[in-house]
């Protein structure tokens, strides 16, 4: 099955894993619509702004996932933002699950009855929609975090991203650059290990480093387990779908003696299908949306915080190196001024990083706590709502069956 | 040691005012199977002989020791306690009287004391005797209640028959070990010699019973419930002595399957009166059913017969005169396919739910660790609470998986096998028809032979031919009668089967939905307990 899928815009909710990021009316960004063509997803980024740095008060541009990645990479590479936690890049849209199902549907088309086929198609569309919602949300949150941060919103590249009418046609990374990127990552992790040996002066940062290292591994683990759990939950919901379908079939063709009795049963089973399988499915997907997404997002965010610490530690190491160089220069009596200049710069950089780093990390913790709270409360409330729903439907069905 | 959670022990409680009508005269003394007359049941849909017309089934959780042993134990306990109290009371009585005597002695003259003492003594004895009489009757009543009630069965007003199976012991050793089951039958039917019987049976005894019943009744068109299947793998694991979860489950599965098998067998009105069944349920010694072993002579014979049957089925082309049978056969074929599909789905559901519970448990652990490393205290507490909630939910999922399995999956497996038995009965009818046709063909041939002989004019051979013709005419008539009979039986049996099936399914589905409701309500409780914790994160 090929061809473009267009998902309608009205259903895209904002379940942000961060706090309300659209508080400030001076720069409001959202993604009202998105188009999916085979592999690529085209997002419509809509901006409303009262800032003078923008030429128009309202923009609406089409962007692809690669454009978001480009934006993220340029911000990372900007020296100025070294002391800030850079919002993590949104993950690539993953339509693997629905695509597999679509494949299976296409293969089994001949062997299934019309109703089964229609039902499976419905299921498939629902799953597709869920993945779609998720990916739109993640991209939206990325932009909103950038817009709500006082420093990032003034970034020139960000403005271009929001304003530029045509396709950004970001040059895809060619092989050399990809390899270079990979190599850089390796160097970075080796560096991290080396730098973690550097003695930390500030107590606050020492604590934060230990906490973040520990927490990041734990949250990665929790995310993986949560994903597995949500997947099994979805399997269970799927099974209920099949079972109720089969029960329907059995109730449908039976001899006339019990026909009336069994017609009522067929009604009940249809209701059961709604109550059991749909509710289980909704429970599973809500759990995924709230809990698993939350954990996934904060895994990435914690990685960004770790990156900040790394940059600061790098600056500290540079500073210490420059100190050593200054001492050496003083000993030798050459290039003293240069070494002094170097050392002053390093110290400045380090101080700036420390100061902004401290602010960022404190606000990060506050943000994290609030996000966890919001999502946990929402997830719990949704679970309770679904369970209550299911109970009332089940009890209704039991009444009907008993009264027969 | 054994898996002590068997959510369903099928017990069959029957309300039947006609139960008293059955008497021992109905059972024919020969064990070749009952004669046609007494056991033949009417076509009447609300069969008066059908014991189980107004069937209501009631499930209960059952695990208790054999009645007889427990009875003696509780009885002796009660008696000892009573005797002890009697002696104690006499002792206390005596001391009390002596004390009173001493007290009064100080104030009044001696001769009056003696009378007073005697009066007091007698009065006290009468009083205490009455008291203890009351206590004795109380104890006796308690004893009676214990006797009836100690296995927590629900009792209906018109209980007719109740069968419960429990484990006993694993006899023998090594690969020759076998499990002995205790079969307890409680009944108020008069065809049974006693109210309560408890016998020990092996799995091969059950199979032997089934093969006997099948050989007697299948060709008459009765649907004989199939026995649980042999499972070499499962049994070997248990024999090897592994006490892990899978072997425990296997034994529990087998026990409940055997219970359901026996209950279905006695539900059938003709089979209940069968002397083999009665012998199985009542007699303490049963001849070892060797013919059920796979490699015995009888086993091989069975396999050969099965192959022959399969070939026959393909070659016999029956011209169906009765549309009802054709329709029914079609229906049962469809039902078979659908039930198998449903069974497969339910099994996959059980598997996935078990997976879900395992994954939830591991997530709970991981969330607990996350909560530990979180430095914000309120959030840390909330995360630990979340971990606890998820652990409880995991347990819930496990229980639900058990319910899924024992309620639905096993029932479906039983019905898949039952439908095979029903199809077998239809095949028997086809075989009877084929026999009838063969007899007719033979008769035709004999008549032709007689006609030929008449022309050839051989008087002695003619007489023989006439005799043969008479014989074959008789056989044809018998064949037709058999065919009529089997068709009638099948109609009635299928009607009964359908009724039972609908009832069974409805009951089980209601039960299953109730278990789902219970699970969801527990979920609500857990999440509602967690909500204030989540809200308390500052």
């Amino acid at each position: 099955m090929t061809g473009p899928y267009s998902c309608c815009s009205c259903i895209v909710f904002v379940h942000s894993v961060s706090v309300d990021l659209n508080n400030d009316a001076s720069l409001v960004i959202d993604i009202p619509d998105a188009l999916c063509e085979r592999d690529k997803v085209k997002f419509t980024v809509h901006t409303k702004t009262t800032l003078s740095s923008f030429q128009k008060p309202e923009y609406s541009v089409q962007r692809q996932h690669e454009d978001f990645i480009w934006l993220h990479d340029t911000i990372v590479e900007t020296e100025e933002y070294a002391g800030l936690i850079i919002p993590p890049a949104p993950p690539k849209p993953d339509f693997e699950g629905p695509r597999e199902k679509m494949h299976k549907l296409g293969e089994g088309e001949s062997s299934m009855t019309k109703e089964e086929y229609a039902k499976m198609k419905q299921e498939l569309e629902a799953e597709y929609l869920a993945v779609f919602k998720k990916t739109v949300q993640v991209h939206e949150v990325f932009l909103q975090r950038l817009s709500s941060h006082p420093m990032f919103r003034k970034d020139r590249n960000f403005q271009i991203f929001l304003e530029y009418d045509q396709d950004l046609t970001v040059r895809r990374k060619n092989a050399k650059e990809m390899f270079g990127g990979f190599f850089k990552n390796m160097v970075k992790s080796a560096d991290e290990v080396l730098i973690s040996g550097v003695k930390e002066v500030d107590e606050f940062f020492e604590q934060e480093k230990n906490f973040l290292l520990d927490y990041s591994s734990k949250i990665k683990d929790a995310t993986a387990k949560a994903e597995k759990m949500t997947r099994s939950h979805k399997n269970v919901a799927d099974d209920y779908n099949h079972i109720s379908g089969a029960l329907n079939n059995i109730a449908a063709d039976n001899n006339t003696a019990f026909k009336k009795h069994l017609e009522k049963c067929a009604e009940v089973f249809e209701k059961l299908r709604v109550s059991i399988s749909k509710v289980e499915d909704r429970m599973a997907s809500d759990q995924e949306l709230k809990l698993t997404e939350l954990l996934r997002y904060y895994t990435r965010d914690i990685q960004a915080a770790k990156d900040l610490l790394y940059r600061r530690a790098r600056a500290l190491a540079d500073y210490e190196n420059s100190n050593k160089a200054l001492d050496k220069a003083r000993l030798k009596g050459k290039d003293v001024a240069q070494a002094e200049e170097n050392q002053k710069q390093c110290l400045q950089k380090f101080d700036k990083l420390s100061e902004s780093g401290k602010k960022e990390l404190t606000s990060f913790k506050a943000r994290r706590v609030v996000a966890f709270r919001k999502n946990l409360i929402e997830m719990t409330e949704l679970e309770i709502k679904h369970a209550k729903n299911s109970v009332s439907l089940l009890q209704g069905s039991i009444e009907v069956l008993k009264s027969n | 040691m054994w898996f002590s959670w068997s959510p369903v022990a099928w017990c069959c409680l029957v309300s039947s005012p006609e139960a008293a009508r059955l008497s021992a005269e109905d059972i024919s003394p020969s064990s070749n199977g009952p004669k046609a007359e007494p056991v033949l049941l009417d076509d009447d849909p609300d069969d008066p002989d059908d014991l189980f017309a107004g069937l209501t089934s009631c499930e209960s959780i059952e695990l208790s020791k054999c009645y007889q042993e427990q009875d003696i134990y509780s009885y002796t306990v009660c008696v000892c306690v009573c005797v002890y109290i009697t002696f104690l009371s006499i002792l206390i009585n005596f001391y009390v009287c002596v004390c009173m005597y001493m007290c009064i002695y100080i104030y009044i003259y001696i001769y009056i004391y003696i009378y007073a003492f005697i009066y007091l003594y007698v009065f006290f004895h009468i009083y205490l005797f009455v008291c203890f009489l009351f206590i004795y009757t109380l104890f006796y009543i308690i004893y009676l209640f214990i006797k009836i009630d100690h296995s927590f069965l629900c009792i209906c007003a018109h209980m007719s028959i109740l069968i419960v199976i429990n484990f006993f012991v694993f006899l023998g050793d090594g690969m020759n070990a076998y499990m002995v089951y205790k079969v307890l039958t409680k009944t108020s039917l008069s065809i049974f010699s006693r109210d309560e019987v408890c016998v020990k049976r092996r799995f091969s005894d059950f199979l032997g019973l089934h093969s006997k019943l099948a050989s007697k009744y299948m060709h008459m068109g009765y649907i004989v419930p199939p026995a649980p299947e042999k499972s070499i793998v499962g049994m070997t694991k248990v024999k090897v002595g592994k006490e892990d979860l899978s072997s425990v489950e296997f034994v529990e599965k087998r026990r409940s399957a055997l219970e359901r098998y026996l209950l279905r067998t006695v539900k059938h009105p003709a089979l209940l009166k069968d002397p083999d069944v009665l012998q199985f349920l009542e007699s303490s010694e049963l001849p070892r059913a060797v013919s059920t072993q796979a490699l015995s002579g009888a086993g091989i014979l069975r396999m050969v017969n099965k192959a022959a049957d399969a070939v026959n089925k393909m070659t016999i082309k029956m011209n169906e005169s009765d549309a009802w049978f054709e329709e029914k056969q079609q229906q049962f074929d469809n039902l078979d396919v659908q039930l198998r599909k449903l069974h497969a789905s339910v099994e996959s559901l059980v598997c996935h739910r078990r997976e879900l519970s395992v994954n939830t448990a591991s997530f709970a652990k991981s969330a607990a660790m996350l909560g530990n490393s979180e430095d914000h205290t309120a959030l840390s507490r909330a995360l630990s609470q979340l971990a606890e909630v998820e652990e409880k939910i995991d347990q819930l999922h496990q229980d639900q998986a058990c319910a899924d399995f024992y309620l639905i999956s096993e029932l479906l497996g039983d019905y898949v096998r039952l439908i095979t038995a029903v199809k077998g009965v239809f095949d028997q009818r086809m075989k009877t028809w084929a026999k009838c046709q063969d007899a007719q063909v033979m008769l035709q041939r004999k008549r032709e032979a007689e006609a030929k002989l008449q022309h050839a004019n051989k008087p002695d051979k003619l007489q023989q031919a006439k005799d043969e013709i008479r014989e074959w005419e008789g056989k044809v008539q018998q064949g037709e009668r058999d065919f009529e009979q089997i068709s009638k039986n099948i109609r009635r049996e299928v009607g009964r089967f359908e009724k039972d099936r609908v009832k069974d399914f409805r009951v089980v589905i209601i039960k299953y939905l109730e278990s789902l409701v219970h699970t969801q309500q527990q979920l609500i409780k857990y999440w509602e307990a967690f909500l204030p914790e989540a809200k308390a994160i500052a």
Side-chain angles (χ1 to χ4, degrees):
Chain A
M1 287 200 246
T2 58
Y5 277 80
S6 166
C7 296
C8 65
S9 53
C10 55
I11 317 179
V12 176
F13 280 80
V14 175
H15 289 296
S16 60
V17 292
S18 277
V19 191
D20 280 322
L21 292 170
N22 270 340
N23 273 336
D24 189 1
S26 62
L27 182 61
V28 175
I29 306 182
D30 65 298
I31 301 186
D33 200 358
L35 238 155
C36 179
E37 282 176 14
R38 282 197 219 202
D39 268 354
K40 302 198 215 285
V41 185
K42 287 211 165 84
F43 301 95
T44 311
V45 179
H46 175 245
T47 319
K48 257 216 199 97
T49 174
T50 57
L51 291 179
S52 51
S53 49
F54 287 84
Q55 289 170 352
K56 285 194 284 186
E58 202 165 328
Y59 292 95
S60 200
V61 293
Q62 295 264 352
R63 292 285 175 255
Q64 290 187 9
H65 172 72
E66 285 78 11
D67 303 333
F68 287 81
I69 301 294
W70 166 82
L71 181 62
H72 175 258
D73 286 343
T74 44
I75 291 183
V76 165
E77 283 161 14
T78 315
E79 268 298 321
E80 274 181 24
Y81 303 135
L84 308 171
I85 296 183
I86 299 174
K92 197 159 154 56
D94 176 26
F95 289 104
E96 204 39 57
R99 202 172 296 149
E100 256 182 57
K101 260 199 168 168
M102 187 159 71
H103 197 63
K104 248 195 279 185
L105 194 70
E107 275 181 358
E109 185 172 347
S110 49
S111 64
M112 285 194 267
T113 67
K114 231 192 206 149
E115 295 106 38
E116 267 182 42
Y117 185 72
K119 259 187 225 157
M120 270 206 83
K121 196 145 170 251
Q122 236 179 21
E123 254 178 57
L124 175 66
E125 282 173 3
E127 194 172 322
Y128 205 90
L129 196 63
V131 174
F132 209 80
K133 268 203 291 193
K134 239 185 349 180
T135 190
V136 163
Q137 170 201 323
V138 159
H139 285 79
E140 205 173 42
V141 162
F142 171 67
L143 290 178
Q144 283 170 347
R145 268 192 69 186
L146 286 177
S147 74
S148 61
H149 196 283
M151 293 218 56
F152 289 131
R153 61 176 22 195
K154 300 190 222 133
D155 183 57
R156 186 69 204 133
N157 286 317
F158 187 47
Q159 250 189 311
I160 295 176
F161 181 90
L162 292 175
E163 278 187 330
Y164 193 57
D165 265 356
Q166 268 104 56
D167 235 359
L168 277 180
T169 51
V170 170
R171 188 168 54 87
R172 308 279 176 264
K173 289 193 178 150
N174 59 21
K176 192 167 95 175
E177 282 179 348
M178 288 207 108
F179 186 67
F182 176 65
F183 190 63
K184 237 195 287 180
N185 268 339
M186 275 185 58
V187 167
K188 189 168 134 212
S189 20
D191 224 2
E192 267 178 358
V193 173
L194 284 173
I195 285 182
S196 57
V198 168
K199 194 165 165 337
E200 185 54 70
V201 185
D202 195 338
E203 165 102 17
F204 173 77
F205 282 102
E206 180 69 29
Q207 253 183 355
E208 282 297 309
K209 185 171 77 168
N210 291 334
F211 168 69
L212 281 178
L213 280 175
D214 186 32
Y215 199 73
S216 75
S217 66
K218 299 265 168 64
I219 201 171
K220 245 188 251 179
D221 183 51
T223 314
K225 300 272 166 64
E227 281 178 351
K228 264 186 22 191
M229 181 170 79
T230 333
R231 234 187 332 227
S232 341
H233 211 156
K234 288 226 169 95
N235 281 341
V236 168
D238 263 342
D239 280 334
Y240 270 121
N241 233 346
H242 293 151
I243 287 176
S244 58
L247 271 177
N248 258 342
N249 281 341
I250 291 183
D253 64 17
N254 265 288
N255 64 349
T256 49
F258 301 108
K259 193 107 195 167
K260 201 176 61 165
H261 167 90
L262 286 165
E263 261 168 18
K264 251 203 212 156
C265 273
E267 269 177 45
V268 173
F269 287 144
E270 189 52 35
K271 228 170 37 161
L272 275 182
R273 190 176 80 83
V274 169
S275 60
I276 303 182
S277 71
K278 272 221 175 115
V279 167
E280 288 277 342
D281 196 39
R282 247 180 243 144
M283 269 180 146
S285 59
D286 275 338
Q287 191 180 54
E288 161 148 47
L289 210 60
K290 299 287 167 194
L291 189 62
T292 319
E293 271 305 305
L294 172 76
L295 290 174
R296 270 195 211 125
Y297 185 78
Y298 274 97
T299 317
R300 290 197 296 270
D301 222 2
I302 292 215
Q303 186 59 40
K306 268 167 63 179
D307 286 344
L308 167 64
L309 279 185
Y310 161 72
R311 288 195 291 269
R312 181 177 165 280
R314 175 90 252 160
L316 179 62
D318 285 341
Y319 171 62
E320 295 199 344
N321 285 343
S322 75
N323 265 342
K324 286 200 204 121
L326 180 62
D327 287 341
K328 228 193 310 185
R330 283 214 180 111
L331 234 74
K332 283 210 193 135
K334 311 198 270 185
D335 294 330
V336 175
Q338 202 183 32
E340 261 180 20
E341 189 57 42
N342 196 7
Q343 191 233 32
K344 214 172 5 166
Q345 269 182 0
C346 284
L347 183 59
Q348 254 179 1
K349 180 162 158 216
F350 175 67
D351 280 337
K352 192 173 86 164
L353 281 186
S354 298
E355 196 188 307
S356 70
K358 204 179 259 187
K359 254 194 308 188
E360 287 280 309
L361 284 172
T362 349
S363 76
F364 169 69
K365 181 183 302 216
R367 203 176 53 222
R368 187 180 79 233
V369 168
V370 171
F372 265 76
R373 176 175 190 276
K374 180 159 167 279
N375 277 281
L376 284 177
I377 292 178
E378 280 178 2
M379 176 181 83
T380 314
E381 286 175 348
L382 278 172
E383 295 275 320
I384 293 178
K385 186 178 93 165
H386 288 316
K388 283 196 174 143
N389 214 4
S390 148
V391 163
S392 65
L393 281 171
L394 283 172
Q395 276 174 340
S397 313
I398 292 178
E399 289 302 305
V400 171
L401 280 178
K402 273 193 176 154
S403 69
N404 257 349
Chain B
M1 172 167 107
W2 299 110
F3 190 56
S4 66
W5 199 89
S6 100
V8 175
W10 290 89
C11 73
C12 162
L13 302 175
V14 172
S15 68
S16 152
E18 282 82 26
R21 278 210 280 126
L22 279 177
S23 62
E25 287 87 69
D26 283 353
I27 309 299
S28 102
S30 79
S31 67
N32 278 344
K35 302 274 189 333
E37 262 65 68
V39 188
L40 215 53
L41 306 165
D42 295 325
D43 268 321
D44 192 54
D46 272 312
D47 212 62
D49 270 329
D50 189 359
L51 289 174
F52 303 82
L55 180 74
T56 55
S57 72
C58 170
E59 287 78 40
S60 65
I61 298 180
E62 168 59 46
L63 268 183
S64 61
K65 301 200 203 125
C66 181
Y67 264 46
Q68 286 171 347
E69 294 183 337
Q70 191 77 320
D71 273 354
I72 295 173
Y73 177 75
S74 59
Y75 184 71
T76 43
V77 159
C78 289
V79 164
C80 284
V81 167
C82 291
V83 166
Y84 171 74
I85 289 182
T86 315
F87 280 118
L88 200 65
S89 69
I90 292 175
L91 213 62
I92 294 173
N93 188 18
F94 181 69
Y95 280 132
V96 161
C97 287
V98 163
C99 286
M100 290 197 72
Y101 170 66
M102 298 293 235
C103 292
I104 303 173
Y105 176 70
I106 302 171
Y107 299 105
I108 312 180
Y109 293 106
I110 288 188
Y111 60 91
I112 302 180
Y113 292 166
I114 297 179
Y115 287 121
F117 178 76
I118 292 173
Y119 278 134
L120 270 170
Y121 193 76
V122 169
F123 172 71
F124 260 97
H125 261 293
I126 293 173
Y127 171 70
L128 281 167
F129 176 71
V130 167
C131 275
F132 285 116
L133 202 64
F134 177 70
I135 293 177
Y136 292 166
T137 37
L138 207 69
F139 267 107
Y140 186 63
I141 292 172
I142 292 174
Y143 157 65
L144 283 178
F145 269 113
I146 290 175
K147 183 176 159 176
I148 294 173
D149 210 17
H150 79 150
S151 60
F152 321 111
L153 296 166
C154 51
I155 301 177
C156 289
H158 301 288
M159 183 172 88
S160 279
I161 186 166
L162 166 70
I163 296 186
V164 163
I165 296 188
N166 273 301
F167 310 120
F168 181 49
V169 82
F170 220 178
L171 295 182
D173 51 14
M175 290 315 283
N176 293 329
Y178 58 92
M179 175 78 78
V180 171
Y181 301 95
K182 269 197 178 177
V183 179
L184 165 72
T185 314
K186 273 188 76 130
T187 175
S188 60
L189 296 174
S190 46
I191 47 172
F192 286 87
S193 54
R194 282 179 288 170
D195 263 358
E196 260 180 55
V197 194
C198 188
V199 294
K200 304 195 180 92
R201 293 284 175 259
R202 288 179 61 162
F203 185 68
S204 51
D205 295 336
F206 289 86
L207 295 180
L209 174 70
H210 170 71
S211 68
K212 274 193 239 163
L213 289 177
S215 63
K216 274 200 275 185
Y217 290 98
M218 276 277 261
H219 66 88
M220 281 175 49
Y222 289 150
I223 300 176
V224 176
E229 284 164 352
K230 275 182 173 247
S231 163
I232 302 178
V233 174
M235 220 40 209
T236 317
K237 264 210 274 192
V238 178
K239 283 182 190 176
V240 163
K242 283 180 24 164
E243 282 197 19
D244 62 347
L245 196 61
S246 66
S247 53
V248 160
E249 265 181 37
F250 172 78
V251 180
E252 176 56 35
K253 228 170 77 162
R254 178 163 276 200
R255 185 201 70 82
S256 69
L258 289 174
E259 222 171 56
R260 286 196 306 271
Y261 164 67
L262 275 188
L263 281 164
R264 279 214 186 88
T265 311
V266 296
K267 255 207 287 193
H268 194 297
L271 294 182
L272 174 59
K273 302 181 202 155
D274 184 86
D276 276 327
V277 169
L278 293 173
Q279 188 194 33
F280 183 87
L281 289 175
E282 287 191 319
S283 72
S284 44
E285 277 306 316
L286 205 63
R288 185 76 199 282
V290 229
S291 64
T292 57
Q293 280 171 355
L295 294 174
S296 68
I300 296 179
L301 193 66
R302 254 206 312 279
M303 279 195 284
V304 169
N305 275 340
K306 247 197 250 178
D309 279 345
V311 171
N312 273 343
K313 216 163 107 170
M314 289 191 280
T315 52
I316 295 180
K317 207 48 195 122
M318 178 170 177
N319 50 353
E320 188 56 75
S321 51
D322 200 341
W324 186 90
F325 280 94
E326 209 169 303
E327 187 191 318
K328 277 297 164 190
Q329 207 147 7
Q330 188 64 25
Q331 232 171 46
F332 278 116
D333 284 334
N334 282 347
L335 192 62
D336 191 21
V337 165
Q338 282 158 1
L339 273 184
R340 276 180 209 271
K341 257 205 310 208
L342 185 60
H343 192 205
S345 302
V346 171
E347 290 201 321
S348 120
L349 171 69
V350 170
C351 174
H352 281 145
R353 212 185 257 285
R354 289 221 169 109
E355 215 180 85
L356 175 62
S357 104
V358 163
N359 286 341
T360 313
S362 77
F363 173 70
K365 276 197 215 109
S366 156
M369 290 211 327
L370 191 65
N372 275 343
S373 73
E374 172 68 58
D375 59 353
H376 187 266
T377 37
L379 183 57
S380 158
R381 195 173 47 235
L383 283 174
S384 319
Q385 288 288 65
L386 180 69
E388 271 178 37
V389 167
E390 292 286 344
E391 238 182 79
K392 288 195 215 141
I393 291 182
D394 132 62
Q395 188 57 41
L396 209 62
H397 280 306
Q398 234 177 40
D399 291 343
Q400 182 63 43
C402 282
D404 290 349
F405 181 67
Y406 282 107
L407 278 180
I408 305 247
S409 176
E410 288 285 276
L411 176 76
L412 286 175
D414 281 351
Y415 266 94
V416 166
R417 280 198 297 275
L418 262 174
I419 299 249
T420 321
V422 170
K423 293 217 282 204
V425 154
F426 276 99
D427 291 340
Q428 284 290 336
R429 180 170 170 272
M430 245 179 15
K431 272 212 298 224
T432 316
W433 181 85
K435 244 181 22 193
C436 186
Q437 289 298 101
D438 286 343
Q440 278 186 341
V441 163
M442 266 318 249
L443 180 65
Q444 193 63 25
R445 247 189 253 159
K446 295 294 178 193
R447 285 215 174 109
E448 285 171 1
E450 190 226 6
K452 251 194 268 177
L453 283 175
Q454 274 207 324
H455 283 281
N457 215 347
K458 289 199 187 128
D460 47 336
K461 287 234 174 113
L462 200 62
Q463 187 55 35
Q464 189 188 22
K466 281 211 176 20
D467 285 334
E468 282 182 353
I469 288 182
R470 246 199 314 273
E471 179 194 336
W472 278 100
E473 273 177 356
K475 281 205 188 145
V476 163
Q477 270 179 3
Q478 182 63 32
E480 281 176 356
R481 262 206 308 267
D482 280 344
F483 185 68
E484 283 291 312
Q485 189 58 43
I486 198 176
S487 302
K488 215 165 61 158
N489 283 344
I490 289 184
R491 275 180 197 263
R492 193 191 42 240
E493 285 287 297
V494 164
R496 204 176 56 86
F497 174 78
E498 301 258 294
K499 254 200 316 196
D500 282 345
R501 173 170 74 96
V502 168
K503 241 185 283 191
D504 260 348
F505 268 83
R506 203 177 103 225
V507 163
V508 160
I509 287 180
I510 289 180
K511 230 186 172 287
Y512 182 66
L513 291 181
E514 285 176 347
S515 84
L516 276 182
V517 165
H518 174 78
T519 308
Q520 299 287 5
Q521 282 171 338
Q522 286 291 88
L523 265 180
I524 292 178
K525 224 172 47 177
Y526 293 150
W527 284 118
E528 280 183 342
F530 175 68
L531 192 58
E533 269 297 331
K535 289 198 166 141
I537 303 174

